[in-house]
Amino acid sequence: MNPLDMALKDRVTSAFASAHGHAPMLVARAPGRVNLIGEHTDYNDGFVLPCAIGPSTMVAASPRADREVRIVAADFDNAVDTFNLDTIVQSDQGWANYVRGTVDALQKAGFALGGAHIAIAGNLPKGAGLSSSASLEVAVGQAMLALAKTEIDRTLLAQVAQAAECDFVGTKCGIMDQLISAQGKEGHALLIDCRNLALNDVRVPDNIAIVIVHSGVTRGLVEGHYNERRRQCEVAAARMGVTALRDAAPAMLADADLDPITRKRAWHVITENSRTLAAAEALAAADLAELGRLMAESHASMRDDFEITVPAIDSLVSLMQSAIGNSGGARMTGGGFGGACVAILPTDKVEMLRHAVEAGYRTPDGTKPLIMVERPGPGVALT
Ligand code: GLA
């Protein structure tokens, strides 16, 4: 186990022992993710190209003889939540709803669960668009099923976790975050077809690094904006008479009777799907110049057509793009309205990029931004 995971495992097991008075029976780990390209395409039955990253959420657990679940959250001042498996309702504590929602969704999917003692700790920055919530859902699902000695298909685990977020938490998200947290593969990005959930590995060459820079702009009012974008996409698809924007072509959009905003939203999704397929090919061929060009187009489309970037992110991305030139690319990653930017570039250019970002960008607090240098990691597992 690497030092980052070891430190996190120590933290989650000691939080568990202090709260519950004994050692946990198991610890599940589910990673965060970074999306290389394919933004807001997943809930349009389209394509995404994410990879799992090193930072993760760990869930320590042991069984109880009754139907109670008692959880301590190490990252929220050791706040405690307790609920009964037979009466799961919303909690006033935001973080607790991801746990309650996942347990509820597992039971609704037909899995028989028992009571549990749980502790949670993570080392993903929150509000950075790196899927700390999806990783929590997937880790909780894996831990609860492991206690029940039940195996689950990883894609089904992701679907249950997605249901928790859509139906219980109330963000009408797509499947990308939960699916990559469950199915991530070391050294690879996954080209995911979000219609049939087919996964295609795309190897990330060993001499290429993935750099994530957190803008420090925390994502505000995300659910409202997110659900609104999703509705606009659904309206556009319905007006064109297709099941989802995945099925629409640029020519259909030209003929459709749509208001200018809805048209721009649809244009982003239609073009982003083509860019994502092209980017997977460019990455597989280690054509970083082409990948960088596609990432730049993706960012411009998120900024001008889908309108989910903010000025600080736009300036950070252009700074990163100028530093990288045609040896790779950069764009905002994730749902938008703040969060992180991702760059792909040769490993020997990482320090150059770090210096450029530290010299040229400050977070809204006036501090240097958090910079993470990553390689694609594995999906959920018991540690
Ligand atoms: C969030 C959602 C995903 C996806 C992205 C945007 O991360 O959870 O399902 O829609 O935004 O690509």
Side-chain angles (χ1 to χ4, degrees):
M1 195 182 274
N2 68 44
L4 193 77
D5 281 348
M6 261 159 57
L8 183 58
K9 191 169 178 181
D10 280 353
R11 205 151 65 74
V12 80
T13 41
S14 59
F16 186 100
S18 319
H20 305 305
H22 61 276
M25 175 184 270
L26 56 88
V27 177
R29 171 192 182 279
R33 65 98 186 91
V34 66
N35 189 21
L36 305 182
I37 194 165
E39 224 63 84
H40 289 262
T41 43
D42 59 353
Y43 56 80
N44 290 298
D45 281 2
F47 299 94
V48 293
L49 187 64
C51 62
I53 56 177
S56 67
T57 303
M58 289 194 187
V59 170
S62 67
R64 285 173 63 120
D66 57 15
R67 304 277 296 158
E68 296 287 303
V69 178
R70 183 165 183 268
I71 316 147
V72 60
D75 300 332
F76 292 90
D77 283 334
N78 292 319
V80 170
D81 180 51
T82 307
F83 66 92
N84 187 287
L85 287 171
D86 301 316
T87 47
I88 305 183
V89 293
Q90 298 279 329
S91 159
D92 302 335
Q93 304 187 87
W95 63 268
N97 283 324
Y98 294 94
V99 182
R100 291 184 179 207
T102 303
V103 173
D104 188 50
L106 278 172
Q107 294 193 127
K108 287 187 171 141
F111 292 97
L113 303 176
H117 291 293
I118 288 180
I120 299 166
N123 53 17
L124 280 156
K126 312 244 175 330
L130 300 175
S131 297
S132 56
S133 44
S135 74
L136 171 57
E137 293 151 5
V138 171
V140 165
Q142 179 65 77
M144 290 299 286
L145 288 168
L147 289 184
K149 303 202 172 12
T150 304
E151 300 258 311
I152 188 171
D153 169 75
R154 283 164 184 257
T155 293
L156 179 57
L157 174 58
Q159 288 171 308
V160 169
Q162 180 199 17
E165 187 136 351
C166 288
D167 302 341
F168 203 90
V169 177
T171 305
K172 303 289 176 202
C173 67
I175 189 72
M176 168 170 67
D177 305 349
Q178 292 81 7
L179 192 53
I180 189 70
S181 183
Q183 293 273 21
K185 183 168 174 187
E186 201 147 7
H188 295 76
L190 294 187
L191 174 66
I192 303 174
D193 178 337
C194 297
R195 170 160 278 166
N196 61 12
L197 306 187
L199 311 169
N200 286 292
D201 304 349
V202 183
R203 189 157 175 77
V204 178
D206 292 340
N207 62 345
I208 289 178
I210 295 167
V211 177
I212 300 167
V213 183
H214 183 9
S215 67
V217 181
T218 35
R219 307 170 62 220
L221 283 177
V222 178
E223 281 161 28
H225 286 308
Y226 187 92
N227 292 347
E228 179 192 40
R229 292 298 184 284
R230 183 167 183 157
R231 268 195 308 278
Q232 291 166 333
C233 291
E234 285 163 1
V235 166
R239 290 273 169 81
M240 286 187 273
V242 292
T243 309
L245 285 181
R246 151 76 171 273
D247 306 306
M252 295 164 77
L253 188 60
D255 294 342
D257 172 26
L258 291 172
D259 67 85
I261 301 261
T262 310
R263 180 180 301 279
K264 287 206 291 185
R265 304 296 188 252
W267 178 248
H268 163 75
V269 175
I270 294 169
T271 56
E272 184 79 349
N273 273 326
S274 318
R275 282 189 289 270
T276 304
L277 291 170
E281 282 185 17
L283 179 58
D287 184 350
L288 291 196
E290 174 65 359
L291 184 59
R293 193 186 67 72
L294 293 161
M295 290 173 82
E297 275 188 10
S298 168
H299 187 83
S301 179
M302 292 191 288
R303 181 189 61 214
D304 303 334
D305 294 330
F306 218 62
E307 297 180 285
I308 53 170
T309 69
V310 296
I313 296 246
D314 292 333
S315 66
L316 174 56
V317 165
S318 53
L319 188 159
M320 291 165 76
Q321 287 172 343
S322 334
I324 296 168
N326 64 5
S327 56
R331 58 185 282 283
M332 182 186 78
T333 185
F337 307 102
C341 303
V342 62
I344 304 183
L345 75 174
T347 310
D348 60 12
K349 294 207 157 46
V350 167
E351 285 315 301
M352 176 280 298
L353 178 63
R354 186 194 297 280
H355 288 133
V357 168
E358 289 184 344
Y361 182 81
R362 285 291 172 273
T363 71
D365 296 341
T367 56
K368 285 185 186 171
L370 171 69
I371 300 177
M372 299 153 67
V373 182
E374 296 288 328
R375 286 279 307 161
V380 68
L382 295 177
T383 62

